[in-house]
Amino acid sequence: MRILRILAAPLCGIAFLFTFGAAQAACPPSAIASLEKPGVGLRNGVDRGVLWRIERDGRTSWLYGTIHIGRGDWVRPGPTIQKALAQSDTVALELDMRDEATARAMARPADPELLARMLSGERSRRLERQNSEACVPPGSLSKLQPILQVTALAGLVGRVDGLYPEFGVDETLAVAARNGNKPIVALENAEDHLKVLTGSSEAEEAEQVDAALDELESGKLRGQIKELAEVWARSDAARLSRYSEWCDCLNTPAEQRLLKRLLDDRNPNLADGIERLHAGGKGVFAAVGALHMIGPQGLPTLMAARGFTVTPVLTSAQEQTAQPMPALAAPSPAPRAVRAGKAVKGQRGKAAPAAAARGGKSAKAAPAASRGGARAPAKATGKAAPSKAAAPAAKGKVRR
């Protein structure tokens, strides 16, 4: 169940809103410290993730499927992504986690009575053990909504494999947009997103918390996240479209209901928001969780049904070649952090890495591409082909 949230909902990144203090010797390094490891750097950009170009009314917009965790050397977008960003007027995200109002909503304490009811007895002890294993100091997350507590812990599991919420693709794109003075629009709000996660009842939320603890305790989640990250990184939309066959995350009615809430119930609203921005005269770079892009209810299909011409750009596994780029500074802290459960004012990401830094100069390093910026890196072994995930509805038009 947790793997669905990692790919379809940005709130696993809630962990980076909190400051946990110095790590113990046995704990994974912090995101910033991980950049000092041999072989990790921020100098090269490689195209990763899944990307579609959408066109209507003489304007071009983009659909980019993201993952809400990442590695340090993924911070710099690849040349195709940089070119699409440079050609866009607005960046649209599910949520902008660096927006201060959103950060406050995520860190808002839950109802103490609900916490007392839901997090007591053995469930409370299990949660305490997982906080300890994740090197989260006691009390750091304890005032959050229960589902956010386990979601934050799920976002920390990949650190031993170099995968951090701080390097989540949505997060680094938001920094890039700010450094390039490009407007950011949130397609959803924090309150509605919390409702999606908690479900329709306290009992349903408790069921999801228990399922999350089961996966954390079994160690299964780490392997799932690592495989998911590898599938995403090689732009393998075909395998992504078959995730139900390998994610081991749709085995119960509760998990199937969660999938419907996270994807099918949200995708039409996401599509409506993208269409409104595009119709308002803006070229939109819409970056949302990659699961929103696949299947008959995926965004490429929904946008085709709205009369857009949809062209796959990065949708097939391919050789990816790094392009030389200038060095970048490490990401800055989130706008608001929490220490020992208390919100404190943070800093904006002035020195954070960004594709659009220095007036978008990095885009000049990209290889020659077509007008739409659709060509994959120069050494790709084959043409990007549309996967099953990209199949549009009957009313749409697709370039192949």
Side-chain angles (χ1 to χ4, degrees):
M1 184 182 294
R2 310 307 322 152
I3 196 171
L4 294 176
R5 294 192 209 284
I6 295 295
L7 197 55
L11 295 189
C12 71
I14 192 173
F16 84 80
L17 295 177
F18 297 83
T19 299
F20 297 135
Q24 305 170 21
C27 296
S30 68
I32 300 303
S34 74
L35 298 177
E36 300 173 359
K37 285 188 172 183
V40 177
L42 301 176
R43 297 190 177 185
N44 296 323
V46 175
D47 284 318
R48 299 181 176 91
V50 286
L51 179 71
W52 287 260
R53 184 173 65 249
I54 61 174
E55 298 165 290
R56 197 182 74 179
D57 304 325
R59 289 187 299 281
T60 297
S61 290
W62 306 86
L63 301 175
Y64 184 44
T66 66
I67 188 171
H68 306 306
I69 55 175
R71 304 187 192 279
D73 52 2
W74 294 358
V75 166
R76 171 79 75 174
T80 306
I81 304 303
Q82 287 194 43
K83 195 172 185 69
L85 278 167
Q87 293 174 349
S88 302
D89 302 305
T90 299
V91 173
L93 306 173
E94 294 169 62
L95 291 177
D96 180 5
M97 296 295 286
R98 283 184 173 261
D99 172 71
E100 292 192 1
T102 299
R104 285 195 299 270
M106 292 300 100
R108 185 179 301 139
D111 177 3
E113 294 184 0
L114 179 144
L115 291 173
R117 289 193 305 270
M118 193 175 295
L119 302 181
S120 61
E122 181 58 23
R123 185 181 292 142
S124 175
R125 289 187 286 273
R126 294 173 71 192
L127 187 57
E128 288 174 5
R129 286 194 294 270
Q130 291 307 310
N131 275 278
S132 177
E133 291 187 16
C135 302
V136 175
S140 296
L141 302 174
S142 61
K143 293 184 179 180
L144 291 178
Q145 188 78 17
I147 197 65
L148 290 185
Q149 294 188 39
V150 292
T151 299
L153 290 172
L156 299 175
V157 168
R159 292 177 301 173
V160 292
D161 297 306
L163 295 161
Y164 290 83
E166 292 92 331
F167 300 140
V169 179
D170 313 71
E171 163 64 5
T172 57
L173 286 172
V175 174
R178 283 190 169 86
N179 285 356
N181 296 315
K182 200 176 291 289
I184 298 173
V185 175
L187 297 170
E188 299 177 309
N189 63 64
E191 298 295 340
D192 289 343
H193 217 97
L194 284 171
K195 291 177 183 177
V196 169
L197 289 174
T198 55
S200 59
S201 67
E202 186 175 316
E204 188 166 16
E205 182 177 1
E207 184 178 20
Q208 292 185 53
V209 169
D210 289 339
L213 289 170
D214 289 342
E215 289 190 339
L216 288 166
E217 290 167 348
S218 70
K220 180 175 66 174
L221 183 60
R222 176 186 170 186
Q224 292 175 325
I225 289 175
K226 186 177 180 181
E227 180 174 6
L228 171 63
E230 292 170 352
V231 169
W232 178 87
R234 63 176 183 263
S235 304
D236 194 347
R239 181 157 176 77
L240 190 62
S241 70
R242 300 191 302 272
Y243 76 97
S244 60
E245 300 172 10
W246 53 266
C247 75
D248 193 24
C249 62
L250 294 172
N251 301 319
T252 68
E255 290 174 341
Q256 293 160 14
R257 289 194 301 270
L258 174 62
L259 177 67
K260 183 177 183 299
R261 288 205 311 275
L262 285 175
L263 299 178
D264 292 353
D265 292 350
R266 292 168 59 208
N267 283 355
N269 290 331
L270 294 173
D272 288 345
I274 296 166
E275 183 179 20
R276 280 194 300 271
L277 290 169
H278 185 95
K282 302 295 185 183
V284 185
F285 188 90
V288 301
L291 275 184
H292 292 286
M293 302 296 173
I294 67 172
Q297 294 298 315
L299 288 178
T301 301
L302 295 181
M303 302 315 292
R306 286 162 166 76
F308 285 81
T309 297
V310 179
T311 305
V313 179
L314 294 173
T315 57
S316 61
Q318 57 193 299
E319 179 185 347
Q320 296 153 325
T321 304
Q323 303 296 321
M325 301 287 177
L328 288 167
S332 68
R336 286 188 177 272
V338 170
R339 296 188 180 97
K342 296 182 179 179
V344 297
K345 189 174 182 179
Q347 299 178 353
R348 288 194 177 273
K350 294 182 180 179
R358 302 183 182 91
K361 290 183 180 180
S362 58
K364 295 180 180 180
S370 63
R371 291 183 182 178
R375 186 175 298 176
K379 294 187 179 181
T381 57
K383 295 181 180 179
S387 70
K388 295 179 181 178
K395 294 182 181 179
K397 180 180 178 183
V398 173
R399 292 179 181 171
R400 299 186 183 275

